[in-house]
């Protein structure tokens, strides 16, 4: 695992924090901005989280556990992708964290991801998160 690599991407969204939070935790909204992904969770610390769908014609089932959740402020979860080529065991899970910072009628959303198997996985995540945040911004600002 590349332990020294961390994706950190921020987007300023012209909407209040509760609307951004809803986009992060509402499965209908997630599906709209996150490449058609079906997300399932109870959105409580310790609960499971799953993401299922298709990417470039291949089915995936990604999963994890909510590590920390503070409504409208922070969401962090352990994350493993079935497309990673890695065995489903704890040391192969990445950590994804969303941080919401409201101010002046807008919200800054920052996503970080740590724990990559190689440089290619890191680059794929950078590209993916940039698209996801742009899509989320467009959806929430509609």
């Amino acid at each position: 695992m590349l332990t020294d690599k961390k994706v950190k991407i921020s987007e300023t969204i012209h909407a209040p924090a509760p609307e951004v939070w809803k986009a992060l935790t509402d499965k209908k909204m997630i599906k709209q901005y996150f490449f058609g992904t079906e997300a399932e969770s109870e959105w409580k610390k310790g609960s499971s989280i799953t993401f299922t769908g298709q990417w470039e014609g291949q089915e995936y089932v990604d999963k994890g556990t909510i590590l920390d959740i503070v409504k409208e402020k922070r969401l962090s979860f352990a994350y493993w992708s079935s497309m990673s080529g890695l065995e489903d065991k704890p040391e192969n899970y990445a950590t994804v964290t969303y941080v919401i910072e409201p101010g002046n009628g807008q919200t800054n959303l920052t996503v970080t991801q740590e724990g990559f198997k190689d440089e290619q996985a890191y680059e794929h995540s950078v590209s993916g998160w940039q698209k996801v945040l742009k899509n989320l911004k467009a959806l929430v600002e509609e």
Side-chain angles (χ1 to χ4, degrees):
M1 297 291 271
L2 296 175
T3 55
D4 60 335
K5 289 281 192 176
K6 179 194 284 191
V7 172
K8 185 172 185 177
I9 299 171
S10 295
E11 188 72 53
T12 298
I13 301 168
H14 300 285
E19 290 181 30
V20 174
W21 180 257
K22 183 178 179 188
L24 294 176
T25 59
D26 180 282
K27 70 184 200 174
K28 289 179 184 169
M29 291 183 78
I30 293 167
K31 187 172 185 170
Q32 290 180 66
Y33 69 80
F34 213 115
F35 313 119
T37 294
E38 296 277 351
E40 292 289 336
S41 183
E42 292 181 8
W43 305 109
K44 296 176 185 171
K45 187 172 181 173
S47 68
S48 64
I49 185 168
T50 59
F51 304 96
T52 57
Q54 280 194 349
W55 177 257
E56 298 177 346
Q58 186 177 353
E59 301 241 347
Y60 62 86
V61 179
D62 299 353
K63 64 182 188 171
T65 303
I66 305 271
L67 302 172
D68 187 32
I69 186 165
V70 180
K71 187 177 181 180
E72 298 174 12
K73 295 189 184 316
R74 177 182 168 88
L75 171 61
S76 182
F77 54 92
Y79 171 79
W80 173 83
S81 174
S82 62
M83 295 180 80
S84 68
L86 297 172
E87 189 178 343
D88 180 4
K89 55 185 184 178
E91 58 266 32
N92 291 332
Y93 278 62
T95 301
V96 174
T97 303
Y98 295 108
V99 175
I100 296 173
E101 298 168 295
N104 299 330
Q106 60 190 25
T107 304
N108 190 58
L109 174 62
T110 301
V111 63
T112 57
Q113 181 176 346
E114 302 173 76
F116 298 96
K117 71 173 184 174
D118 56 28
E119 186 68 27
Q120 183 180 357
Y122 170 80
E123 295 296 334
H124 179 77
S125 286
V126 168
S127 171
W129 284 119
Q130 287 171 338
K131 290 174 188 162
V132 165
L133 290 188
K134 294 247 181 278
N135 293 345
L136 186 152
K137 175 183 171 80
L139 177 65
V140 174
E141 289 182 354
E142 278 182 355

